[in-house]
Amino acid sequence: MPQQPPAQLAPSAHVTAAEISRIAGVTRATVSNWRRRHDDFPAPSAGTEASPLYDLPAVQAWLRGRGHTSAASPTEELRTALRLLGPGSGVAARLFPLVAAASRRTPEELAELAAVPDDQLIARAEKTAGELPAAVPEAEPVRYGPDDAGAVRALLGCVREAGAQAAVDVLAERELDEGAASGVYQTPEGLALLMARLLPAGTSRVLDPACGSGTLLAAAARQGAQELFGQDSLPVQGRRTAVRLLLAAPKAETAIRVGDSLRADAFPDLTVDAVLCNPPFADRDWGHDELAYDPRWAYGLPPRFESELAWVQHALAHLEPGGHAVMLLPPALAFRASGRRVRAELIRSGALRAVVSLPARAAYPLHIGLQIWVFQRPEPGGTDRTTVLFVDGEGEQRGGATGTPSATDTATAGAGARGGSRPRRSGSSSSAASSASSASAASFDWAGLTERVLGQWAAFTTAPDTYADEPGVARAVPLVDLLDDVVDVTPARHVRATAADIDPAVLARRVHDLHEQLAEQVAALAAASASGGWQPSGASAREWRTATVSDLARGGALTVLRAATPGTRGSKGGAAPTVDRPVITAQDISAANPPSSGPVDIHADATQPVAAGDVLVRAVAGGGDAAAMTRVADDQDAGALLGPHIHLLRPDPARLDPWFLAGFLGAEDNIASASTGSTLVHVTPGRLRVPLLPLEEQRRYGEAFRGVYELRAAVRRTADLAADTAATLATGLTAGVLLPPDTPDSQSA
């Protein structure tokens, strides 16, 4: 039966003051001012005295009456239109097919469609949605009602302005928030690409049995996979994955199914070249009793509280002999006593090839460092595997973001959502948790971590018998050394540097160099923090006459560019291009680093070179990180490519000073009023505001903002260098390769 729209809906949508500010394109203070000064401003209709909620239609009517047209971003407009239909409308599920079909239309065609009257819009939307391929689960014909016209129109605008993937994510966010599931977290793009690149070149058939939002399968398609199979327990995630793959890999053959992969495998007879999976963690209701005699458990019955080992064996059962599985797993799986026997069989058989530890905050849950496990299904009569590779990816982050070597690295000198959708009993909402994960991942140095891990993996797979360990970073451990009483495969346990790995003379020289660098950096910090004769502006704060970035762009004062995000319009599928030239990333902006270097995977549309004087604005931020949102490109940055999740503003130097522009754009209030989200902040650059000042006065402010930027960078460099110096000294003393300095008392003795 076709999906029918619900009848006689009674929408009841509420918004907070912060959401009103985003809809109207003003600050929170302006909304508070309206509440105090205008008696006809809508009174709170829900919420509490401390956190009032307002009726959305009433607010929209009041804004229209005052001549305030909506300044919300296309994604926020879509969220608002969905909210107006009220909870339980089911409109999000019915709009998924329309996104896939609309992605094939030009912006002009979408604008023409959105402009027709409501009755024609509904009829044409139904016809357009009917073009959806059979790859989308439950893609039966849909019907839209008159009440859906606003949501359909907002959806078309979102696809036209922000891209089809942004629209898909908003629809999924709405449906997940309305559903009973919690703890659904998206795998960060950088992590998904790293996992996909651990697969052998030429991998064509890939399965993700807990596909979630489809990030891993999309990453596999970017690496050249042509046949993609996915299954998820939530219908909304199945639809989300299917539409995502239609956008990211339109030429690939896809098959997405809905259901519990462990209890009701939708592909029981399928074997593939590779499995990529980010399965549910700590799921006690995975089917231990009813699946006790399942033939998939070739390495032993997974313990009741070790659901991850069930997913591991499910993945291995779907592999061709010699095929690879790359899985994201919790660190406790490496050492829990209950899983010791299954771990031992995975090692003894040669199925476990590598374990890579990741830094905390790389992916949700943010408080622990997850691990990537690489498996290979044994081949009958194949070569015996004698070692397992361990890589400590956490050490890269412990070294700080400034390129300073970590304590372990210096010590060895001279010798680097969840995807599945089973409920996790999490207290966080799905969208908030996904936002937290994305916020962290947006500023994470995935390029550096990927280079570190892939370099070790390539060396190990090319010649495992002659692989040269890198103490403190990576080590190939013989199987016999792992098969002890605990069978602990935690990377840090196996790769940590020992006294035998450290050259005392080299470390002593390194400590001397670190002390000299630290002294120089402290002097630079003192110079940057010197008082500059700051004066009060008067009896009260200065008031500005401002213009938005959109206004300035229309007037020719600047140009706004943005790097494409993987999966948005313009992606043609297939392998992502790899560039061996500098790329400015969001992490580089946040940490005041030079452009990232080395081979970097970059989206085909994200090849905008940076010029000196450009103002770079991070498109995503979180955790109150607004102070590190902007940067002015210098000569060192010139020619580097613009990485994803960055807006580039190119001002006319005869009308705008770049440092003045960057300083005001990065102000916390400015970012808040031009963004959507709470834990995760998506910045809409056109809504940022800039004071209108003469160029000479702009330059005075610009010099002050440049000083603030240099102070912040000096503080960060000094802190990182001091921490590294202290850690190196501690390592040298405890390893017995450094002696304490002589004291006056020891000299007299």
Side-chain angles (χ1 to χ4, degrees):
M1 292 288 294
Q3 296 183 29
Q4 297 290 341
Q8 297 180 340
L9 289 176
S12 179
H14 295 93
V15 288
T16 65
E19 290 169 321
I20 295 174
S21 72
R22 290 196 289 267
I23 293 172
V26 298
T27 65
R28 286 280 302 277
T30 301
V31 176
S32 298
N33 212 22
W34 287 343
R35 292 170 56 193
R36 291 193 303 267
R37 296 178 57 186
H38 298 287
D39 294 337
D40 60 340
F41 189 85
S45 56
T48 65
E49 184 175 350
S51 301
L53 296 175
Y54 302 86
D55 182 73
L56 177 57
V59 168
Q60 290 180 317
W62 189 88
L63 291 172
R64 284 194 298 270
R66 294 277 171 175
H68 293 284
T69 57
S70 176
S73 65
T75 53
E76 189 67 19
E77 290 278 13
L78 179 55
R79 287 190 184 96
T80 301
L82 295 174
R83 188 176 298 180
L84 279 170
L85 293 174
S89 66
V91 66
R94 290 182 281 115
L95 287 174
F96 271 107
L98 185 57
V99 179
S103 68
R104 304 175 179 183
R105 299 289 195 271
T106 65
E108 293 73 20
E109 290 172 333
L110 293 176
E112 184 271 333
L113 178 59
V116 302
D118 286 359
D119 56 342
Q120 297 181 35
L121 175 66
I122 294 301
R124 293 178 63 178
E126 289 180 354
K127 180 180 179 181
T128 300
E131 302 169 3
L132 185 67
V136 177
E138 304 172 10
E140 65 267 25
V142 295
R143 296 290 181 265
Y144 301 115
D147 291 335
D148 295 334
V152 170
R153 193 169 276 111
L155 176 75
L156 297 176
C158 186
V159 173
R160 184 178 70 250
E161 300 294 335
Q165 186 57 52
V168 169
D169 290 342
V170 172
L171 296 180
E173 172 189 299
R174 162 63 179 250
E175 195 164 330
L176 287 170
D177 282 345
E178 287 190 357
S182 64
V184 178
Y185 310 113
Q186 183 168 324
T187 307
E189 296 279 356
L191 176 55
L193 187 56
L194 168 57
M195 293 173 65
R197 291 184 64 183
L198 286 167
L199 298 176
T203 298
S204 180
R205 293 161 54 83
V206 179
L207 166 69
D208 184 349
C211 61
S213 61
T215 311
L216 286 168
L217 289 175
R222 293 177 63 193
Q223 294 304 112
Q226 296 298 315
E227 297 179 61
L228 307 170
F229 306 89
Q231 183 172 353
D232 199 90
S233 59
L234 295 180
V236 59
Q237 294 290 66
R239 288 190 290 268
R240 187 180 189 181
T241 295
V243 175
R244 184 189 196 111
L245 296 180
L246 287 173
L247 302 176
K251 296 181 180 179
E253 296 181 19
T254 62
I256 308 301
R257 302 290 181 264
V258 174
D260 184 336
S261 290
L262 294 183
R263 287 189 172 94
D265 188 358
F267 306 101
D269 301 320
L270 176 70
T271 56
V272 293
D273 302 332
V275 172
L276 290 174
C277 190
N278 177 359
F281 295 171
D283 179 14
R284 298 188 177 187
D285 186 29
W286 62 269
H288 175 272
D289 294 336
E290 61 197 271
L291 299 174
Y293 300 101
D294 196 288
R296 288 172 292 183
W297 314 147
Y299 303 90
L301 174 64
R304 183 182 302 275
F305 302 127
E306 298 277 2
S307 61
E308 298 87 1
L309 289 175
W311 285 100
V312 166
Q313 296 190 73
H314 176 82
L316 285 166
H318 276 289
L319 289 175
E320 296 278 359
H324 288 72
V326 180
M327 304 185 69
L328 186 67
L329 299 168
L333 189 66
F335 61 82
R336 277 192 300 237
S338 57
R340 179 177 61 86
R341 291 185 179 180
V342 176
R343 287 199 303 272
E345 286 302 314
L346 290 168
I347 293 169
R348 189 175 291 113
S349 67
L352 180 62
R353 300 302 314 282
V355 181
V356 178
S357 63
L358 299 174
R361 303 195 67 81
Y364 199 91
L366 303 176
H367 63 288
I368 61 174
L370 301 178
Q371 296 174 351
I372 298 174
W373 290 36
V374 183
F375 302 92
Q376 186 175 15
R377 183 169 180 174
E379 301 175 82
T383 304
D384 290 337
R385 295 160 191 152
T386 59
T387 57
V388 174
L389 176 67
F390 294 92
V391 181
D392 182 13
E394 296 180 82
E396 180 75 9
Q397 297 302 312
R398 285 195 295 265
T402 62
T404 305
S406 68
T408 301
D409 293 336
T410 57
T412 57
R418 317 265 58 77
S421 301
R422 187 186 302 276
R424 291 177 186 79
R425 298 173 176 83
S426 167
S428 303
S429 72
S430 59
S431 58
S434 178
S435 296
S437 176
S438 300
S440 172
S443 60
F444 197 80
D445 184 15
W446 286 113
L449 180 63
T450 299
E451 183 179 2
R452 178 189 185 96
V453 172
L454 292 182
Q456 299 295 338
W457 175 242
F460 176 74
T461 54
T462 300
D465 294 334
T466 59
Y467 171 79
D469 297 337
E470 186 175 342
V473 177
R475 192 183 298 274
V477 180
L479 303 187
V480 66
D481 293 345
L482 298 173
L483 296 171
D484 54 17
D485 292 339
V486 293
V487 195
D488 189 340
V489 293
T490 302
R493 178 182 182 184
H494 298 286
V495 305
R496 65 165 60 100
T498 65
D501 299 318
I502 303 174
D503 184 329
V506 171
L507 184 61
R509 287 196 300 271
R510 177 60 181 160
V511 168
H512 180 268
D513 292 342
L514 282 172
H515 275 295
E516 288 191 341
Q517 294 173 32
L518 182 58
E520 293 174 0
Q521 192 57 53
V522 169
L525 176 60
S529 59
S531 174
W534 302 94
Q535 299 294 326
S537 62
S540 60
R542 185 174 182 181
E543 295 186 1
W544 311 106
R545 189 167 67 91
T546 64
T548 66
V549 166
S550 292
D551 294 334
L552 295 173
R554 283 192 291 269
L558 54 78
T559 303
V560 181
L561 303 170
R562 179 178 178 178
T565 301
T568 57
R569 182 185 299 275
S571 175
K572 304 301 181 184
T578 299
V579 295
D580 194 3
R581 59 181 293 187
V583 176
I584 293 183
T585 66
Q587 169 69 13
D588 296 332
I589 296 175
S590 176
N593 286 345
S596 300
S597 60
V600 178
D601 281 311
I602 190 167
H603 191 273
D605 294 342
T607 54
Q608 174 64 43
V610 175
D614 287 346
V615 177
L616 309 175
V617 183
R618 290 169 51 196
V620 181
D625 200 21
M629 288 292 293
T630 60
R631 161 172 168 174
V632 176
D634 57 19
D635 291 338
Q636 186 180 17
D637 301 326
L641 297 183
L642 184 65
H645 307 293
I646 299 175
H647 301 292
L648 184 151
L649 280 63
R650 183 162 292 163
D652 178 353
R655 301 172 64 181
L656 285 172
D657 180 82
W659 279 106
F660 161 82
L661 185 62
F664 278 101
L665 293 182
E668 186 174 353
D669 287 345
N670 208 1
I671 294 294
S673 63
S675 60
T676 58
S678 53
T679 306
L680 180 66
V681 175
H682 291 278
V683 180
T684 304
R687 293 171 54 193
L688 293 167
R689 290 188 170 273
V690 183
L692 298 176
L693 298 177
L695 184 59
E696 192 58 37
E697 191 170 4
Q698 289 182 36
R699 289 171 177 160
R700 287 182 54 211
Y701 274 93
E703 283 301 312
F705 282 126
R706 184 199 295 264
V708 171
Y709 178 86
E710 292 173 350
L711 175 61
R712 184 182 297 118
V715 168
R716 187 178 188 116
R717 287 192 293 268
T718 304
D720 288 338
L721 194 54
D724 191 43
T725 303
T728 303
L729 286 169
T731 299
L733 291 169
T734 56
V737 295
L738 285 182
L739 295 176
D742 290 334
T743 64
D745 291 341
S746 65
Q747 291 175 351
S748 62

